[in-house]
Amino acid sequence: MSDLPTSAPVMWMRGGTSKGAYFLKDDLPRDPAARDAFLLRVMGSPDPRQIDGMGGADPLTSKVAVVSASQREGIDVEYHFFQVFVDQATVSDAQNCGNILAGIGPFAIERGLVAATGDETRVAIYMVNTGQVAVEVVQTPGGMVTYAGEAAIDGVPGTHAPIPVEFRDTAGSMCGSLLPTGKPVEEVNGVAVTLIDNGMPCVIMKAVDMGIVGTETREELEANAELKEKVEAIRLAVGERMNLGDVTAKSVPKMFLVSPPVNGGAINTRCFIPHRAHATVGVLAAVTVATAALIEGTPAAEVAQIPGGARKTLSVEHPTGEMSCVLEVNEGGSVTSAALLRTARKLMDGEVYV
């Protein structure tokens, strides 16, 4: 489009185990088509290398956060997430990203949308994609955001300032209810699966039912064409059942193959997002998998090792480590709240050109 801006202010940040561009909403074109065209140029898509843009040739590094002040009661900022596909001219807001979410609080304070309130600053975030709310606690000693600290998360080298993230009302974020079909287990193409959405639409099945052990490397999964075809066939078959419609060109649902834990956690996972094997696990996807593990009779529950008590910390293992989800359940066993520990870091603040 000839009327696209030639540049825009941007902050590049690592959020959790993802990395991407953080923009103020007013700095991007208002027209959705023009905005998407601009973001494709920013990332250098479509191109497997994204050589003519800032993307890192991986879905985890081709992400965008668009942030604005909120007029909603009790909410500080609004966060609109966009997944820029690497090798397709596609920009999707069909999902949240809980990793990029980790950088929203710091970014909002850095950009002056939220005033620091002492050594710690709470930031209430409305997630535009799904209408849910997250609350982050950002370290702000002396009224300034700090990224230095002793918190460590798997998939990210070193330690950084902790950013606890509490999720509110995530059940049915995109599918309308926690279990969109009302059943904990469905049979799809001869495989027992759970269709579930506690912040991220996911399809969960046992790895052994898909012909693998569940401890394969990302590279082994990527090279398994037969497995990928089976996974995609199930994904396409469940879109309507999950109230997602035709998911052929969508980045949801996420596909999870689960197995017993191998490193002392609660459950082991291998996932596709949706076509490529994931090196880690998304924040809201981890919450959803952990939730499935607490539902009697599901494939996840059959392989998981669940701790006792009303407040349960479930370590969701993935190829490069684990993600701990803290879930609180009521007397009926239903999950009432979910929280995770994330970190973020500012990498660059300046102008991006297209």
Side-chain angles (χ1 to χ4, degrees):
M1 296 182 179
S2 59
D3 58 344
L4 287 182
T6 58
S7 67
V10 67
M11 186 178 292
W12 225 268
M13 299 186 76
R14 175 189 60 76
T17 54
S18 293
K19 185 166 58 176
Y22 289 67
F23 292 97
L24 291 176
K25 182 178 180 179
D26 289 344
D27 289 334
L28 292 176
R30 291 187 177 275
D31 175 69
R35 177 202 62 211
D36 290 356
F38 182 81
L39 296 179
L40 287 166
R41 293 289 301 274
V42 166
M43 290 297 180
S45 298
D47 172 33
R49 296 184 300 157
Q50 292 183 319
I51 194 64
D52 199 36
M54 296 291 291
D58 188 292
L60 296 180
T61 58
S62 189
K63 298 184 174 187
V64 174
V66 178
V67 185
S68 59
S70 180
Q71 301 302 314
R72 300 173 190 271
E73 185 177 356
I75 303 297
D76 296 305
V77 295
E78 305 200 358
Y79 154 52
H80 200 167
F81 170 71
F82 296 92
Q83 178 72 61
V84 180
F85 284 49
V86 174
D87 54 359
Q88 301 177 40
T90 300
V91 178
S92 173
D93 67 347
Q95 65 177 77
N96 277 325
C97 178
N99 275 304
I100 291 295
L101 169 67
I104 299 299
F107 175 78
I109 298 168
E110 294 255 21
R111 284 289 189 258
L113 300 180
V114 176
T117 57
D119 288 344
E120 293 185 340
T121 302
R122 292 174 61 86
V123 182
I125 303 161
Y126 177 79
M127 295 180 281
V128 174
N129 303 65
T130 57
Q132 268 65 50
V133 174
V135 178
E136 296 181 358
V137 178
V138 182
Q139 302 302 304
T140 51
M144 302 288 289
V145 175
T146 182
Y147 299 95
E150 299 304 316
I153 60 173
D154 281 331
V156 178
T159 63
H160 304 83
I163 303 177
V165 184
E166 178 190 354
F167 296 99
R168 299 177 178 173
D169 303 322
T170 51
S173 65
M174 295 178 63
C175 299
S177 61
L178 180 69
L179 300 172
T181 67
K183 302 177 183 178
V185 183
E186 300 271 350
E187 185 172 305
V188 181
N189 296 351
V191 178
V193 304
T194 297
L195 312 180
I196 185 170
D197 173 11
N198 196 15
M200 180 65 68
C202 294
V203 180
I204 302 171
M205 65 212 84
K206 289 192 288 188
V208 293
D209 289 345
M210 297 296 287
I212 66 171
V213 176
T215 57
E216 289 80 0
T217 65
R218 182 188 190 188
E219 292 71 25
E220 288 172 330
L221 296 175
E222 284 280 349
N224 191 335
E226 181 181 359
L227 171 66
K228 292 169 73 174
E229 288 177 5
K230 290 171 64 176
V231 169
E232 179 64 0
I234 293 174
R235 193 181 77 87
L236 295 177
V238 302
E240 297 288 349
R241 300 191 205 184
M242 297 185 73
N243 300 318
L244 298 171
D246 183 358
V247 298
T248 303
K250 295 182 179 179
S251 57
V252 289
K254 308 301 186 190
M255 309 298 290
F256 276 86
L257 287 66
V258 298
S259 58
V262 294
N263 291 309
I267 191 169
N268 186 42
T269 65
R270 294 294 184 268
C271 70
F272 290 85
I273 58 165
H275 305 118
R276 295 186 63 180
H278 204 323
T280 57
V281 60
V283 169
L284 292 166
V287 169
T288 300
V289 170
T291 301
L294 298 181
I295 300 175
E296 185 177 353
T298 65
E302 290 181 6
V303 299
Q305 295 182 6
I306 305 299
R311 185 179 178 87
K312 304 175 186 292
T313 299
L314 273 67
S315 170
V316 178
E317 299 175 355
H318 54 76
T320 56
E322 66 86 37
M323 184 179 296
S324 292
C325 305
V326 181
L327 305 181
E328 293 191 7
V329 297
N330 59 23
E331 292 182 356
S334 297
V335 175
T336 57
S337 72
L340 299 109
L341 175 66
R342 296 280 84 192
T343 67
R345 189 165 78 87
K346 178 171 65 172
L347 304 175
M348 185 280 294
D349 192 1
E351 195 93 359
V352 64
Y353 292 85
V354 300

